[in-house]
Amino acid sequence: MPELPEVQTILIGLRAALEGRRIISTEVRNDLRWPVPDDLSIRADGKKIRSSSRLGKYMMIALVRGPTLLIHLGMSGRIRITPQKRKRASYTPMRHEHVTLTLDNGTSIGLVDPRRFGCFLIIDAGKEREHPLLRALGADPLLPGFDASYLIEKLANKRSPIKTVLLDQRVVAGLGNIYVSEILFRARINPERRAASLDPEEIARIAEVTPGVLEEAIGAGGSTLRDYVDSEGNPGAFQELHQVYGREGQPCPSCPGYPACNGIRRVVQSGRSSFYCPRLQPPLSLEDA
């Protein structure tokens, strides 16, 4: 599933294509995880685009004197941006392109989602945070409100492993399996530690390194492990910079050859792989056992 850096990378390309433009027409070919609203064309066609933004893994396109379009890429979705190359040229949608917006300069914006786990919905302007998909989201780590104090409050009394808690979108919006592994490595926290066992200093380390990991990933265009590409069809490159994720058995980049390390290890938590260095991220204490 595209995580925060991948969604932000796509949004950057999408924002450039949408800026100052007007939606001329919309076409819906199939429903997604939830039905695409029947009145999408009525409410969106002819409207000028005011802004585009992101909250966690959701993208929002706000229309002037109109609603906000809410987009989620699901497990394997992508946004396809196709500039019009010549006047009156016909547009051929991709396979699994379920929704297409056509802009006033001829550019087409398509939501491609083979598994159809994503969404394309409408929210009344000013009521975005009241929508059922958004109102329960925790703080976005790249927006105001995410800091050590916030995390300390959210992790208090949580007995689940810290890895599991950070993946909970009600705690932190936008994090996924790849980046939580990388964050915990840089913060030197074992992924199996109970969240409530972390002291304020350890939690502060998590809060401190999280934005840096995400910004670094955005700068590299996100991580491509299978089929993720940005809005121009380019794969990400952050997978080349992963320090622990997917590197089971390889030397730790911070302590190669150290006797107590013996390479990156993998454990399975709630059906997902977690990667860590046994030396820099010590195993469970008696308190956590």
Side-chain angles (χ1 to χ4, degrees):
M1 175 184 292
E3 302 181 25
L4 187 157
E6 288 76 52
V7 176
Q8 181 65 28
T9 299
I10 289 173
L11 180 64
I12 291 170
L14 184 60
R15 183 175 289 153
L18 295 176
E19 186 176 4
R21 303 263 60 99
R22 187 183 301 274
I23 297 174
I24 296 300
S25 64
T26 59
E27 183 176 358
V28 179
R29 299 175 188 85
N30 297 291
D31 283 326
L32 298 162
R33 185 173 183 179
W34 297 282
V36 179
D38 293 334
D39 60 350
L40 175 62
S41 292
I42 296 173
R43 302 187 67 183
D45 290 3
K47 295 292 193 302
K48 189 174 182 179
I49 293 157
R50 176 165 58 86
S51 63
S52 55
S53 59
R54 179 193 54 75
L55 181 61
K57 301 176 186 180
Y58 290 89
M59 292 182 287
M60 292 175 280
I61 302 172
L63 307 180
V64 176
R65 292 187 294 276
T68 295
L69 308 180
L70 181 67
I71 302 172
H72 192 284
L73 299 175
M75 295 293 293
S76 58
R78 57 166 291 198
I79 296 293
R80 179 197 188 197
I81 300 176
T82 308
Q84 186 183 44
K85 295 183 179 179
R86 62 183 184 276
K87 292 183 178 180
R88 299 179 181 176
S90 60
Y91 176 74
T92 302
M94 289 183 66
R95 185 183 181 191
H96 306 302
E97 185 171 328
H98 306 299
V99 182
T100 304
L101 308 180
T102 301
L103 307 181
D104 56 358
N105 64 349
T107 295
S108 297
I109 309 293
L111 173 57
V112 181
D113 185 0
R115 299 188 184 184
R116 292 167 64 176
F117 285 161
C119 75
F120 198 109
L121 301 173
I122 296 175
I123 308 176
D124 290 336
K127 296 184 178 180
E128 289 83 3
R129 263 300 200 169
E130 299 175 22
H131 192 277
L133 293 176
L134 301 182
R135 65 188 175 204
L137 289 180
D140 185 299
L142 295 185
L143 297 176
F146 179 84
D147 54 22
S149 298
Y150 171 82
L151 269 188
I152 288 171
E153 179 181 352
K154 283 293 186 179
L155 300 187
N157 303 317
K158 289 192 178 294
R159 297 180 62 82
S160 298
I162 182 60
K163 168 77 178 298
T164 303
V165 173
L166 292 178
L167 288 175
D168 186 343
Q169 299 301 292
R170 297 168 296 180
V171 176
V172 184
L175 296 185
N177 202 40
I178 295 172
Y179 297 105
V180 172
S181 284
E182 294 296 312
I183 287 164
L184 291 177
F185 172 73
R186 296 193 189 190
R188 305 303 192 238
I189 305 296
N190 188 286
E192 295 184 292
R193 286 274 303 276
R194 287 182 181 177
S197 75
L198 272 61
D199 61 39
E201 181 180 345
E202 291 173 316
I203 296 174
R205 290 206 304 269
I206 294 175
E208 180 181 2
V209 304
T210 296
V213 171
L214 298 176
E215 293 284 8
E216 186 179 343
I218 293 168
S223 297
T224 295
L225 301 184
R226 291 186 180 179
D227 48 13
Y228 161 74
V229 292
D230 65 16
S231 56
E232 295 183 353
N234 301 313
F238 190 66
Q239 66 275 6
E240 304 298 330
L241 303 176
H242 290 172
Q243 296 189 39
V244 291
Y245 188 85
R247 300 186 68 246
E248 180 183 11
Q250 298 181 37
C252 171
S254 297
C255 55
Y258 197 91
C261 174
N262 294 324
I264 301 301
R265 295 183 186 176
R266 181 179 72 92
V267 294
V268 178
Q269 296 178 275
S270 301
R272 299 179 181 180
S273 294
S274 298
F275 299 88
Y276 70 100
C277 169
R279 172 178 172 253
L280 298 180
Q281 298 166 266
L284 302 179
S285 65
L286 291 177
E287 178 185 2
D288 295 308

